[in-house]
């Protein structure tokens, strides 16, 4: 059983210009006090073929975490377009919101993001060079993919033995359908 349950993730300011910050309202509950902070991270996948174009947009530590319910707005700067191949800016990509405890990722919420021009003329006849100020992003908030990983929230401290690193294997992967979401159609509930 997890010590932390993500209750809701709501995508704010969506759709928005590509150059706007990302904003997510996150609510979660902690079922047992934790010694360390939770690390929340937002990663923009810059290319499906090459992870060197991925960008960690923001990483924040949230704590102390005692028993109770928590809510905060996680804001991150947009990706740096100069670090994305020009052919990968327009089209569909992925945004990953993760939460880790003591370096162990225990939940990942993935969203598809569609980037396109906000002007019909530019969509029909795109310019040779991307006009980033005219690109709009739309996070497909009604179709997140939630993956949970089993971790040990309360490590036994043993100075004589080193823990073996285990490959990360999901315990559950959930496609959240539109009819399972709260009525605002821009959030995901996880438990």
């Amino acid at each position: 059983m997890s010590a932390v349950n993500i209750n809701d993730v709501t995508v704010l300011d969506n759709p928005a210009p590509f150059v706007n910050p990302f904003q997510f309202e996150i609510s979660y509950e902690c079922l047992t006090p934790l010694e360390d902070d939770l690390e929340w991270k937002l990663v923009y996948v810059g290319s499906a073929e090459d992870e060197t174009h991925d960008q960690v947009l923001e990483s924040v530590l949230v704590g102390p975490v005692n028993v109770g319910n928590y809510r905060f707005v996680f804001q991150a700067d947009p990706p740096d377009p100069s670090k994305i191949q020009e052919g990968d800016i327009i089209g569909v990509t992925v945004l990953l919101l993760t939460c880790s405890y003591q370096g162990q990722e225990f939940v990942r919420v993935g969203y598809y993001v569609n980037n396109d021009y906000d002007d019909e003329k530019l969509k029909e006849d795109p310019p040779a060079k991307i006009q980033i100020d005219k690109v709009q992003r739309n996070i497909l908030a009604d179709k997140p993919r939630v993956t949970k990983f089993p971790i040990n929230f309360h490590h036994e401290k043993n100075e004589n033995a080193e823990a073996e690193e285990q490959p990360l294997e999901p315990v559950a992967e959930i496609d959240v359908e539109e009819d399972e979401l709260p009525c605002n159609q821009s959030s995901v509930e996880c438990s």
Side-chain angles (χ1 to χ4, degrees), residues 65-80:
V65 185
N66 293 306
V67 174
N69 292 307
Y70 298 88
R71 179 182 306 248
F72 71 101
V73 173
F74 184 26
Q75 182 169 313
D77 288 336
D80 180 350

Side-chain angles (χ1 to χ4, degrees), residues 51-189:
E51 66 183 41
T52 62
H53 295 286
D54 294 358
Q55 297 178 47
V56 175
L57 302 179
E58 186 64 83
S59 178
V60 296
L61 296 175
V62 176
V65 185
N66 293 306
V67 174
N69 292 307
Y70 298 88
R71 179 182 306 248
F72 71 101
V73 173
F74 184 26
Q75 182 169 313
D77 288 336
D80 180 350
S82 70
K83 295 180 179 177
I84 304 169
Q85 293 178 330
E86 200 159 295
D88 288 330
I89 292 177
I90 301 295
V92 177
T93 190
V94 173
L95 191 64
L96 300 171
L97 175 66
T98 67
C99 190
S100 301
Y101 180 69
Q102 295 180 334
Q104 304 170 88
E105 181 180 328
F106 65 91
V107 68
R108 179 183 303 160
V109 182
Y111 295 96
Y112 288 110
V113 180
N114 186 35
N115 296 315
D116 205 350
Y117 285 108
D118 58 359
D119 181 280
E120 286 302 320
K121 290 180 185 173
L122 290 174
K123 284 181 187 180
E124 292 171 12
D125 187 23
K129 181 157 174 52
I130 300 281
Q131 295 179 14
I132 203 69
D133 60 324
K134 304 260 194 244
V135 175
Q136 181 172 334
R137 70 160 186 260
N138 183 11
I139 300 170
L140 305 179
D142 61 336
K143 301 273 187 199
R145 177 169 292 255
V146 179
T147 307
K148 297 179 182 183
F149 303 97
I151 68 164
N152 185 354
F153 280 93
H154 300 287
H155 285 291
E156 299 286 319
K157 293 190 174 42
N158 185 348
E159 296 172 4
N160 298 328
E162 287 189 25
E164 290 182 31
E165 242 182 72
Q166 301 280 330
L168 203 57
E169 296 203 18
V171 70
E173 195 167 290
I174 306 161
D175 280 326
V176 180
E177 296 299 325
E178 190 172 324
D179 59 350
E180 296 172 343
L181 293 172
C183 58
N184 68 6
Q185 295 294 312
S186 63
S187 65
V188 58
E189 289 189 21

